[in-house]
Amino acid sequence: MEGAFARAFGGVVQPVEVAAALQREAQDKKVVVGQGRLLVPNDYVVELGTTDTGRLTEWDAPLRRELADMVSEHAQEQGWSFVGPVSVRFEQVTTLDTGVFRVRSAVVQPAQPMVPDVDEVRLIRAPGMAWLLVPGDGGQRRVDLSAELTRIGRSAEADVRLSDTGVSRLHAELRRLGDDVVLVDLGSTNGTTLNGQRTQEGRLRDGDRIGVGSSSLVFRQDG
């Protein structure tokens, strides 16, 4: 960012300033969406005054690609994730003075390709999202089940940790097998129930209730 792009900008808005602002925007807008998963925006708009916008004519596409790559690399270093490809674009705002810019961002799902006819729709099976509704203080919290293995228990090693004395340290686990999620008891002391019936292993369906100790967890799945 200190090379040709910086020379093109002269004494006005500098690419390094924009890059730093994009990284701050990602930092400020990150949200927790699952067990240990942080989501940050993937769509960024840099608002510039008329003079600064005009200076970008020659460098627009390569500069936007470079800035998007920098945001992606920074997020990877921090362990953050996106819902789709990162994009950066410039927008002219006539009320902004030369050398002044603003950044705004959003989480934008990638566009789904159009399917020509109904016959082809029958051949497509979209993988369903799955999650657990786990009891907690003041209500329920949602735990994403995108990982291949999610362990339930009382110990710090568990992905879903429950402060329930009837729950074993590592009580049960949920295994993703393609679109399916399978519940497996891990030899727990008090056992695991599925919709009220004690089980060692069972495939889960949307709305199923998992009983561990005195806690009831609800399995949800779409698609």
Side-chain angles (χ1 to χ4, degrees):
M1 302 297 285
E2 294 289 355
F5 290 144
R7 291 195 299 272
F9 275 72
V12 288
V13 171
Q14 294 289 336
V16 290
E17 297 172 334
V18 177
L22 292 172
Q23 292 179 359
R24 287 195 301 271
E25 179 74 6
Q27 168 75 30
D28 293 343
K29 297 296 178 63
K30 66 179 185 297
V31 294
V32 179
V33 294
Q35 191 74 13
R37 184 185 175 202
L38 294 173
L39 183 72
V40 294
N42 61 311
D43 184 75
Y44 297 85
V45 177
V46 181
E47 298 178 351
L48 298 158
T50 304
T51 300
D52 290 314
T53 303
R55 288 174 176 267
L56 288 173
T57 302
E58 181 180 356
W59 303 100
D60 181 56
L63 179 55
R64 286 189 293 109
R65 284 196 300 270
E66 182 73 15
L67 290 169
D69 288 344
M70 291 187 67
V71 173
S72 298
E73 291 170 6
H74 180 66
Q76 185 176 5
E77 292 171 358
Q78 301 299 319
W80 303 336
S81 58
F82 304 100
V83 299
V86 178
S87 67
V88 177
R89 63 185 187 276
F90 300 109
E91 184 176 288
Q92 179 175 316
V93 178
T94 56
T95 56
L96 288 178
D97 295 332
T98 300
V100 177
F101 68 94
R102 293 192 298 249
V103 174
R104 69 176 193 268
S105 63
V107 175
V108 177
Q109 294 279 357
Q112 297 295 323
M114 295 185 64
V115 181
D117 56 58
V118 176
D119 290 334
E120 291 187 49
V121 172
R122 297 194 187 104
L123 300 177
I124 298 174
R125 185 184 181 190
M129 294 178 61
W131 62 94
L132 276 182
L133 296 178
V134 180
D137 295 335
Q140 293 179 318
R141 61 188 175 95
R142 173 174 167 156
V143 177
D144 179 63
L145 298 177
S146 58
E148 292 184 4
L149 188 67
T150 302
R151 295 176 298 180
I152 303 169
R154 202 175 70 251
S155 78
E157 301 174 36
D159 302 300
V160 180
R161 189 176 181 184
L162 300 172
S163 56
D164 183 334
T165 56
V167 175
S168 298
R169 289 176 56 80
L170 289 178
H171 194 106
E173 65 185 20
L174 301 175
R175 301 174 183 172
R176 292 269 341 209
L177 302 174
D179 290 342
D180 295 333
V181 179
V182 177
L183 168 68
V184 179
D185 182 82
L186 298 177
S188 62
T189 302
N190 296 318
T192 301
T193 63
L194 179 57
N195 297 322
Q197 300 296 316
R198 189 152 179 162
T199 185
Q200 178 61 38
E201 181 175 325
R203 177 178 175 271
L204 297 177
R205 298 180 183 277
D206 182 51
D208 280 349
R209 290 188 172 272
I210 302 168
V212 291
S214 61
S215 301
S216 179
L217 290 67
V218 180
F219 173 77
R220 300 308 308 269
Q221 185 174 37
D222 64 12

